[in-house]
Amino acid sequence: MLKRHLPMAGHTRGNRLPITCELKCGNACSHEAPNTSGNTHFRDVANAAISRRAALGLGGGLAAAVVVGAATLQKAPAAQAANGFHPTGGGKLPFEAIAPVQRTVDTVTVPSGYDWAPIIRWGDPLFDDSPEFDLENQTGASQAKQFGYNSDYLDVFSDGGNDRTGFLVNSHEYTNENIMFSPEYLKSNPKDVIEAAIEAHGLSIVDLKRGGKGQKWEYVRGGRRNRRITGSTLFTVDGPAAGSDLLKTKDDTTGTKVLGTLNNCAGGTTPWGTVLSGEENFNQYFVGTGAEAERRIGISPGPSSRRWETVDPRFNLNNEGYANEANRFGWIVEIDPEDPKSTPVKHTALGRFKHEAGTAVISRDGYAVVYSGDDERNDYAYKFVSRQKYRKGDKKHNMTLLSEGTLYVAQFNGNSPESEIDGTGDVPSDGDFDGWGRWIPLVKNDRSLVPGFTVEEVLVNTRLAADTVNATAMDRPEDFETNPVTGKVYMALTNNSQREAGGLHEANPIPGNRDGHVIEMTERRGDHAAERFNWNILFLAGDPAQEGNHAYFDGVPLDQVSPISCPDNLAFDSEGNLWVSTDGQPGTIGYCDALHKVTLEGRNRGLVEQFLAVPADAETCGPVIHDRDNSVFVAVQHPGEGGDWGAHTSYFPDFVPEGPLKGDKVAVPRPAIVQVFSTTGNNGR
Ligand code: FEO
Ligand code: CA
Ligand code: CA
């Protein structure tokens, strides 16, 4: 069984299941964080303790509520009406927060007045000639025509002026071979398993249909936009590093054509209708040579976990002619979902690292801006600003915007005395973890701004370049999202087991940051292209009922909030409320991963209310909030990941433990796209 063959499966650092660590990110947390630049230790911190409650200057009633809440809170439904806070906040998707769900519960839990249903699952046939899903006969050829595995980034579109047709775009981050295939199949068909796994990566584009607004979507087999993009699909490369010697291999002497996209995690939809996807933990698929640039991105010598190098020599960088193959992954890719014949593009202008997000927005003066995190402990946050301006309605032109521009890395500066960042989570005496920041340019168009680095060196080895400019090491920057109402920018920092007490920073103030936090950023003059910003921590995640937690929600009484840990993907509803999905709650606060609504404006600012929970061992991904349409969508990633063949911990979404291994309903967990919809339809439209 693959799991038993994995040398590192079983380590227990960090907060994920061991098998998640192995397969999702190549045990990133079991190694030292690859940033050894010194930027992790931004400054030393003294030990003066400032009480958050006192420092906030709260009135007696509110301060008392905070203290009492922290001391007496039970693990109970959050957000009880009290102290002027209004549970659910009304709005277009009114709900009463659900109680957190114990980690072994194997279902999707939604609020009263809502129901859920899967739209599409791993293995569902996408094309008229797709084979039936058959676990014991999965091959690369069959998987290439079926919905992929481990759904992450998601967007759902209805066609303009038509409530009955639409499509979804979903990325498939990685594979869990030990619950995808029986031990016998793994042993007898190793080549088919690897080829199926390569084809289970990438993205799917799937047409949808339904009876009308507010109703449940169904996927359309044979839809005109249906497409699989996989670990073997042809991509072109553009931007300043295209054609560089650093990108050439024996199969591609031009350095402009790459087969496949890997570990596609968070993404974004552009204002011109294309989809961006971040290639995240691509390092784990390659056997390294021991070079420093490989170490900085996490590529190590020795056999890879999945052994893809045994089927395709390009996955071993030691093989003649393939030393640069890994340089061809780690990019933001752009896909036109409306044109299934289009060739997707890898944009070198946005740099190469463990990309997350790719959140695109148009600046005040018309430039395309893309925010992206580098999801590694002690790595950086980035922004790209296009050279050319966006032209409304001109998709052909707009699809060139990410080919040239300025790539920045973020530096966060605090405004409170170092002595007040004491690791307790208590707010500094000025009332906020906050300050200002700089976007430090690394590349401007085709010119390097980093001494000692050519432009292609900056773009291919972006971490090494950013190490030299005093960028701020962050606690695993994951998703970015911009608020459609206020224009503010939000960044999820999932956690950081290696945030050391000696390396605290006002923007990353918790040692061994187990639960993560969310930062709110305001670009100067409200201009997304600005080179300065202000920032503050919106919340420090945690379960207020647990001893030693650092939970802080901008002054909201702690007995009012839902417990939350490991914020990961972000989304907005039409009213400017932030929705936060989680990745890792089972291993930290002991609950199934969740989706929470966070109110940002008004008297309820900071209020966190849990909307749903995903099944056992799953991560909540890709939240999409269609509040004008009674619906919330999530991607349920790696359900049952902690189990094993024959001892599954989840049977989501078919729930047929004694069922067959082929056909429509099968007896294994299947990552799936879920629609949650109001059963009352009273969403205030
Ligand atoms: Fe794929 Fe950073 O989560
Ligand atoms: Ca401050
Ligand atoms: Ca994620």
Side-chain angles (χ1 to χ4, degrees):
M1 216 171 298
L2 180 70
K3 186 174 173 182
R4 297 197 189 107
H5 295 160
L6 299 175
M8 290 304 297
H11 86 86
T12 53
R13 284 200 217 175
N15 49 28
R16 284 172 163 158
L17 293 164
I19 194 70
T20 308
C21 295
E22 176 66 28
L23 296 176
K24 186 182 186 80
C25 55
N27 287 311
C29 295
S30 72
H31 307 295
E32 290 303 302
N35 187 352
T36 54
S37 66
N39 291 350
T40 54
H41 302 284
F42 200 76
R43 64 187 187 185
D44 292 321
V45 175
N47 286 323
I50 303 292
S51 160
R52 139 166 106 224
R53 286 99 198 176
L56 278 168
L58 296 172
L62 189 50
V66 172
V67 174
V68 169
T72 64
L73 188 71
Q74 303 299 308
K75 293 192 180 91
Q80 302 301 309
N83 300 312
F85 285 82
H86 295 272
T88 78
K92 292 189 174 70
L93 277 175
F95 70 95
E96 187 168 335
I98 66 167
V101 175
Q102 294 299 325
R103 58 180 292 175
T104 54
V105 174
D106 187 29
T107 190
V108 179
T109 306
V110 298
S112 173
Y114 292 82
D115 203 351
W116 68 275
I119 297 175
I120 189 166
R121 306 155 296 179
W122 167 51
D124 279 338
L126 291 188
F127 308 101
D128 292 334
D129 63 350
S130 297
E132 180 185 23
F133 186 49
D134 182 351
L135 272 174
E136 293 296 77
N137 285 293
Q138 286 296 104
T139 63
S142 63
Q143 179 66 77
K145 294 185 174 184
Q146 298 166 339
F147 195 64
Y149 204 75
N150 272 347
S151 296
D152 200 289
Y153 177 73
L154 174 68
D155 207 347
V156 179
F157 309 82
S158 58
D159 293 326
N162 180 352
D163 293 324
R164 293 169 183 258
T165 66
F167 63 100
L168 66 78
V169 180
N170 179 226
S171 70
H172 305 294
E173 186 175 1
Y174 68 105
T175 44
N176 291 89
E177 283 82 345
N178 65 303
I179 53 173
M180 294 169 73
F181 308 101
S182 71
E184 295 74 29
Y185 194 70
L186 283 171
K187 192 171 174 192
S188 60
N189 297 67
K191 187 161 179 281
D192 284 332
V193 166
I194 288 173
E195 289 173 352
I198 291 171
E199 299 303 305
H201 282 66
L203 297 100
S204 294
I205 297 136
V206 187
D207 270 0
L208 303 173
K209 66 177 181 183
R210 63 177 177 178
K213 196 173 176 69
Q215 297 188 29
K216 184 189 162 307
W217 289 106
E218 294 173 20
Y219 92 89
V220 181
R221 182 172 180 170
R224 71 176 167 86
R225 284 168 291 215
N226 288 11
R227 183 176 190 185
R228 278 305 320 281
I229 291 168
T230 76
S232 66
T233 301
L234 176 66
F235 281 72
T236 57
V237 182
D238 82 354
S244 159
D245 285 347
L246 294 171
L247 295 185
K248 292 176 181 171
T249 69
K250 70 192 283 187
D251 296 335
D252 172 27
T253 55
T254 69
T256 60
K257 296 185 189 320
V258 179
L259 294 183
T261 186
L262 294 174
N263 215 263
N264 300 76
C265 197
T269 300
T270 65
W272 51 96
T274 60
V275 169
L276 306 180
S277 175
E279 297 181 322
E280 192 193 7
N281 293 298
F282 65 93
N283 56 303
Q284 63 180 297
Y285 301 90
F286 294 95
V287 178
T289 67
E292 168 60 12
E294 293 172 15
R295 184 204 65 78
R296 185 66 181 87
I297 203 74
I299 297 171
S300 52
S304 71
S305 293
R306 292 179 176 78
R307 307 286 201 272
W308 288 7
E309 67 272 15
T310 63
V311 166
D312 188 337
R314 69 186 174 121
F315 291 107
N316 187 337
L317 308 183
N318 300 281
N319 286 337
E320 188 186 346
Y322 292 113
N324 292 328
E325 185 66 22
N327 290 347
R328 294 142 65 83
F329 295 83
W331 304 103
I332 288 282
V333 302
E334 183 174 16
I335 293 154
D336 181 1
E338 292 281 1
D339 180 2
K341 295 201 183 323
S342 58
T343 303
V345 180
K346 299 197 178 200
H347 288 301
T348 65
L350 280 71
R352 174 175 167 269
F353 43 90
K354 293 185 179 180
H355 265 291
E356 291 281 10
T359 296
V361 64
I362 304 302
S363 75
R364 194 182 57 186
D365 296 327
Y367 298 99
V369 177
V370 179
Y371 296 92
S372 185
D374 183 355
D375 186 358
E376 184 94 58
R377 294 160 304 154
N378 301 327
D379 257 295
Y380 310 129
Y382 296 85
K383 177 171 93 169
F384 169 86
V385 179
S386 67
R387 180 179 194 179
Q388 302 292 334
K389 288 188 178 183
Y390 170 74
R391 291 185 206 146
K392 194 166 185 198
D394 188 348
K395 189 173 186 179
K396 187 171 175 203
H397 164 78
N398 294 331
M399 285 182 69
T400 69
L401 290 175
L402 306 189
S403 305
E404 192 176 28
T406 306
L407 179 65
Y408 298 93
V409 66
Q411 181 188 77
F412 289 77
N413 301 289
N415 64 9
S416 290
E418 294 177 12
S419 60
E420 296 185 8
I421 312 302
D422 60 7
T424 63
D426 288 349
V427 171
S429 57
D430 68 351
D432 255 323
F433 294 102
D434 64 345
W436 66 282
R438 287 200 301 150
W439 290 109
I440 303 167
L442 301 173
V443 162
K444 190 169 183 62
N445 303 325
D446 59 0
R447 196 158 50 90
S448 166
L449 302 179
V450 182
F453 286 74
T454 64
V455 65
E456 61 223 53
E457 287 169 345
V458 175
L459 295 175
V460 172
N461 295 313
T462 307
R463 287 180 172 182
L464 287 171
D467 286 343
T468 69
V469 301
N470 212 3
T472 302
M474 306 299 288
D475 288 353
R476 290 189 52 203
E478 173 97 8
D479 207 0
F480 271 97
E481 206 61 48
T482 57
N483 186 328
V485 175
T486 66
K488 292 182 180 179
V489 181
Y490 294 80
M491 173 171 50
L493 296 141
T494 304
N495 55 49
N496 185 353
S497 60
Q498 286 194 1
R499 175 63 58 186
E500 296 171 5
L504 298 182
H505 177 275
E506 196 164 348
N508 300 282
I510 304 300
N513 187 6
R514 187 193 73 164
D515 294 308
H517 56 293
V518 170
I519 288 180
E520 183 175 59
M521 303 162 69
T522 307
E523 300 275 25
R524 289 281 165 90
R525 304 177 307 281
D527 180 5
H528 288 291
E531 295 190 337
R532 293 282 189 281
F533 60 90
N534 294 323
W535 64 268
N536 56 274
I537 290 181
L538 174 68
F539 67 76
L540 298 172
D543 181 351
Q546 293 185 353
E547 201 161 330
N549 80 88
H550 298 95
Y552 164 70
F553 300 93
D554 204 18
V556 173
L558 294 178
D559 62 350
Q560 304 297 300
V561 298
S562 298
I564 180 172
S565 182
C566 304
D568 203 53
N569 298 139
L570 306 177
F572 274 91
D573 62 29
S574 68
E575 300 171 307
N577 299 301
L578 178 67
W579 293 66
V580 182
S581 68
T582 66
D583 174 13
Q585 287 195 167
T588 56
I589 59 177
Y591 297 120
C592 284
D593 272 317
L595 176 64
H596 303 266
K597 173 186 173 184
V598 186
T599 302
L600 295 180
E601 305 297 330
R603 65 198 302 189
N604 284 354
R605 176 178 158 82
L607 184 63
V608 176
E609 299 167 286
Q610 184 170 346
F611 180 77
L612 63 70
V614 292
D617 298 346
E619 162 189 356
T620 319
C621 287
V624 179
I625 316 301
H626 285 183
D627 53 353
R628 293 189 173 104
D629 200 14
N630 285 334
S631 293
V632 169
F633 304 85
V634 292
V636 176
Q637 186 175 156
H638 57 76
E641 183 167 56
D644 219 332
W645 191 269
H648 294 292
T649 54
S650 173
Y651 291 93
F652 165 87
D654 298 342
F655 303 115
V656 284
E658 306 302 324
L661 296 181
K662 65 189 293 184
D664 189 45
K665 306 269 188 198
V666 297
V668 294
R670 302 169 77 178
I673 305 304
V674 162
Q675 180 176 3
V676 181
F677 46 90
S678 167
T679 53
T680 58
N682 61 345
N683 70 351
R685 282 176 295 152

